Amino acid sequence: IKLHARSIQAIDIDIRIRAYGGDWGWVHLFGKATAREKCGQATRMMGTFRDIQRRKKSEEARQRSEEQLRLVMEATGEGVWDWTVQSQAVSHNASWCRILGLDEQYLVHSLAFFKALIHPDDLENLEQALINCLGRDTPYQSEHRLRKANGEYVWVLDRGKVVKRSPTGEPIRMLGSIKDISEQKRHESEIHRLAFYDFLTGLPNRRLLVERMGQCISRNDRNR
C-alpha cells in the first residue's frame, strides 16, 4: 500500500493482520484520500479497520459445506447447478454434463442456454416454480424433461433453494441439483398402462372409463 499510496483514491479490501500474540486475523480495511496535491495525487488517507473474523469463519464453513455437497453429488451421480441470478450465469459439476451427454465446456453457460434445453410442454410449470422460489422463498422442485446432446429427452428431478439475498431481499444466488428419473418415469408409465388398459388388446379398460367419467362429472359440477 505504501508504494502506491499517492495514486490510490480509496481502499476497500479484506486482509489478514497478525495480532500481538502472533495469530493472524481477518479485518476489513476501508479508507479514502482526504488530501491531495494539485495534480490530484493523494497525500493523506484516513479509514477504519473492522474485525470480520466471525464473518470469514462463516464463509469458510459455507464453502466447506458446499464442497462436501459437491463431492456427495459427484459420488451419487447427481448434477449440481449454481445460479448467479443477476448475471444470469449458471455453473455445474461434471455429473450434470454427463446426464445430458454434454461436453464439459458447458460447465458454465447462460440461463438462456439452459431454458432452451427444457421441453416446451414443461417450461411454464418450471418457470412458475422458480418464480415462487425467488419471490416467496419456498423450496424449488420440478420434474421436467431436458434435451440431451443427441436430441433425446431425459426426465429429471430438479430441486434447489435461494442461498443468498441482498439486504432488500432480492435473490442473488441459488443452488440446486438434478437427478435422472427416466427409469422411474418408465415404471410409472408401465403401471398406468397395466392399470387402465387391457393387457391383450391394449384398449382402455373399465377402470379408465370410470375414472374419466368421474373427472367429467367433477368438471361439470364446477362449471354448473
Side-chain angles (χ1 to χ4, degrees):
I1 294 174
K2 183 178 179 180
L3 292 175
H4 303 284
R6 290 171 64 83
S7 61
I8 291 176
Q9 301 301 310
I11 299 174
D12 189 358
I13 57 174
D14 295 342
I15 60 173
R16 281 173 289 184
I17 292 182
R18 186 160 53 195
Y20 182 75
D23 295 331
W24 291 91
W26 281 100
V27 299
H28 177 70
L29 177 61
F30 176 80
K32 287 186 175 181
T34 58
R36 294 183 176 87
E37 295 179 346
K38 291 182 179 180
C39 62
Q41 289 185 323
T43 58
R44 184 182 182 187
M45 299 190 72
M46 295 185 67
T48 60
F49 288 94
R50 183 162 58 90
D51 186 349
I52 57 170
Q53 191 70 13
R54 181 178 297 179
R55 191 194 83 193
K56 283 294 183 178
K57 286 183 177 180
S58 177
E59 290 176 355
E60 290 171 358
R62 187 183 71 248
Q63 290 173 357
R64 286 195 300 270
S65 178
E66 290 177 2
E67 177 65 13
Q68 290 171 350
L69 174 64
R70 186 188 66 79
L71 293 174
V72 169
M73 293 302 184
E74 289 285 359
T76 60
E78 290 194 28
V80 176
W81 51 266
D82 187 340
W83 178 24
T84 305
V85 179
Q86 295 175 342
S87 68
Q88 299 293 286
V90 188
S91 59
H92 303 276
N93 65 348
S95 292
W96 190 90
C97 289
R98 284 197 295 270
I99 290 173
L100 297 180
L102 295 171
D103 189 272
E104 291 193 7
Q105 65 175 312
Y106 294 102
L107 285 173
V108 180
H109 56 72
S110 67
L111 182 64
F113 174 83
F114 167 73
K115 290 180 68 174
L117 300 177
I118 302 168
H119 194 286
D121 293 344
D122 302 335
L123 183 58
E124 183 178 350
N125 288 337
L126 183 148
E127 288 182 330
Q128 187 59 54
L130 276 177
I131 290 171
N132 292 339
C133 178
L134 295 173
R136 305 174 191 169
D137 213 19
T138 57
Y140 161 74
Q141 181 167 314
S142 171
E143 291 184 6
H144 52 263
R145 288 159 288 183
L146 292 177
R147 189 178 69 250
K148 301 174 65 174
N150 61 7
E152 297 177 356
Y153 281 93
V154 57
W155 275 101
V156 299
L157 171 61
D158 196 1
R159 294 172 289 189
K161 65 178 296 185
V162 176
V163 296
K164 186 177 182 181
R165 291 184 180 272
S166 70
T168 58
E170 295 296 317
I172 295 176
R173 187 182 181 199
M174 190 171 175
L175 288 175
S177 68
I178 69 166
K179 179 181 180 181
D180 185 345
I181 58 170
S182 297
E183 191 64 25
Q184 173 186 325
K185 285 292 184 179
R186 280 192 287 270
H187 287 319
E188 291 175 358
S189 178
E190 181 64 16
I191 291 172
H192 182 272
R193 189 185 67 80
L194 293 174
F196 294 110
Y197 293 85
D198 183 78
F199 180 74
L200 294 177
T201 65
L203 295 174
N205 63 17
R206 182 176 180 178
R207 179 180 293 178
L208 182 60
L209 173 64
V210 172
E211 183 188 74
R212 294 293 171 84
M213 288 179 66
Q215 292 174 355
C216 288
I217 291 171
S218 298
R219 185 163 58 248
N220 288 343
D221 289 341
R222 289 195 302 271
N223 299 330
R224 298 184 181 274

